[in-house]
Structures are given as C-alpha cells and as structure tokens.
Amino acid sequence: MNSELLIGVLALQGDIEENIKATTDALREMNLKGNVISVRYPDEIMKVDGLIIPGGESTVLGLLLSLKNGLLNSITKVLQDRLPIMGTCAGMIVLAKKSYDKVVGNKKQLLLGALDIEIERNSFGRQYDSFESTLEISGIGNDFKGIFIRAPNVTSTGSSVQILSKFDGKIVAVQQENIIGTSFHPELSGDPRMHRLFIELITIIIWCALS
C-alpha cells in the first residue's frame, strides 16, 4: 500500500463522476489522504486499493468487460486477491452469482460470480418507476436516502453474506467479506456515508494484510 489510498471507479459506463465525487468527499470527511481516479485498463485496476463498479446497465457493462482486452481477467484477479470492491445497482448485478430479469427471466449475461447472491433485475419497476426512500443501513443509521433507478433486489444470499439493509421486505444492500453491493445509487444521494463505509472496509483489509 502507498502512504495514500488509491481508489478506482470503473469507467466503462454509469455514474462515474458521481462516484468519484462521493468517494472524494468521504475521504475528506474522514481526514484521510487519498486519490480517486477513473480506471478502464488492466494495469490501472492492479494498482488500486479499492474498486467501485458503478450503476448503469448490467448487460452492457458485462459486454464491455468482456470486450476490453484483459480487463475481465484483471478484475477476476483482484477479486481472487480480496481487493475491496463496491458495486452499486448494475455493479452489484455483475458481481453476483445468479441474476434474472423480473419480466424476461434469465438473460444469460456475464456475471463475475464473486458475490454469493441471486438477484432479480428491475425488481422495483422500470425507469419511470424510479423513487427515493429513507433506508436503515447497518453501520450507517436509519436516515440514508436511497435512490432506486430500475433497481434490482437480492432474492437469496449465501451463508457468508451479511444483509446491510432492506426496503419493503426486500434486500437492497449486502456485504460479503471484501465486497459491498447495493440496489440503490448512494453516489446520487449527496450523502457520502456509504462510500465512507467502503473506505473503512479498505483500511481494515489493508491493516489486516500488513499485521
């Protein structure tokens, strides 16, 4: 690890700049030195202390991962090395082991299979059904503004997965060791606490590796 944290936001599609800002705000609030950069090449992925896979469209995201030379292999490698990763909305879908669409069923999209969950895509409706709701999130509080846009929901979890939040009885945030996944878009909330939680995870994993 360098003296300063280096956190990457996968810059293939989705809320890239919003995640960079939210992570930068979180670092500042935590009085931690660090840089947040967009990453899109294998060598960049291998240098970061943590990686955010932002929301967007999960099928397109999976396709871009498979087309970019070496990018899929590099992300698979850092997952095997327990790099801290946070996936929001589409990012969580791509990290999952299983996914199906509420309307059309199994789309046979590329999944990284690192997060032991099954996901129902578009569980809360299509784009015009987007909404906001106050969430209670473990480790954060009961006043986080969740922004749901074509949001998925976690329908089942493996034994190593911790449920961080539910909305209307549906699982909308989880953690499995070095991976955090959310159905909602914390980067759009104006509240950096979800990104602070991710940075805390990064620092814990680095500390454990060095001790």
Side-chain angles (χ1 to χ4, degrees):
M1 173 190 167
N2 298 322
S3 58
E4 296 186 0
L5 290 176
L6 181 61
I7 301 173
V9 178
L10 187 62
L12 297 182
Q13 63 148 198
D15 299 327
I16 299 161
E17 293 301 324
E18 293 87 349
N19 272 288
I20 290 175
K21 182 182 185 304
T23 310
T24 301
D25 290 346
L27 283 169
R28 184 174 60 251
E29 286 189 4
M30 299 169 77
N31 293 315
L32 291 176
K33 293 182 179 180
N35 292 302
V36 189
I37 61 172
S38 61
V39 294
R40 58 176 62 88
Y41 299 109
D43 61 326
E44 296 173 327
I45 299 289
M46 303 305 294
K47 293 176 182 177
V48 299
D49 298 305
L51 178 67
I52 296 173
I53 304 179
E57 209 294 316
S58 61
T59 304
V60 174
L61 179 57
L63 179 62
L64 291 173
L65 279 173
S66 64
L67 291 176
K68 295 286 185 178
N69 187 33
L71 187 56
L72 181 59
N73 287 338
S74 65
I75 292 181
T76 301
K77 175 66 168 58
V78 296
L79 279 166
Q80 292 171 346
D81 292 342
R82 287 176 46 83
L83 182 79
I85 293 184
M86 180 166 74
T88 66
C89 198
M92 180 175 71
I93 294 173
V94 171
L95 286 165
K97 280 191 174 181
K98 295 181 181 180
S99 171
Y100 63 93
D101 190 272
K102 184 176 182 180
V103 177
V104 300
N106 188 356
K107 296 189 68 174
K108 297 182 179 180
Q109 66 186 104
L110 183 144
L111 300 174
L112 295 169
L115 188 53
D116 191 10
I117 59 175
E118 182 170 356
I119 283 183
E120 180 182 71
R121 294 175 30 147
N122 299 308
S123 181
F124 296 96
R126 298 294 179 175
Q127 189 82 20
Y128 54 80
D129 297 308
S130 301
F131 65 96
E132 300 179 6
S133 182
T134 301
L135 301 174
E136 180 175 356
I137 302 176
S138 178
I140 291 181
N142 61 0
D143 59 346
F144 192 91
K145 182 171 71 173
I147 298 177
F148 294 80
I149 304 171
R150 296 183 63 192
N153 126 73
V154 178
T155 56
S156 66
T157 64
S159 59
S160 61
V161 177
Q162 175 189 1
I163 298 171
L164 298 181
S165 183
K166 290 184 177 182
F167 171 74
D168 198 24
K170 296 181 177 181
I171 302 169
V172 295
V174 296
Q175 179 177 344
Q176 178 184 311
E177 299 175 346
N178 58 306
I179 303 173
I180 292 174
T182 71
S183 298
F184 49 93
H185 289 262
E187 72 279 2
L188 300 179
S189 67
D191 184 340
R193 283 181 294 170
M194 197 76 214
H195 290 74
R196 286 187 60 161
L197 191 69
F198 179 56
I199 293 169
E200 289 170 2
L201 175 63
I202 295 173
T203 58
I204 290 170
I205 288 178
I206 290 174
W207 183 84
C208 289
L210 294 176
S211 62

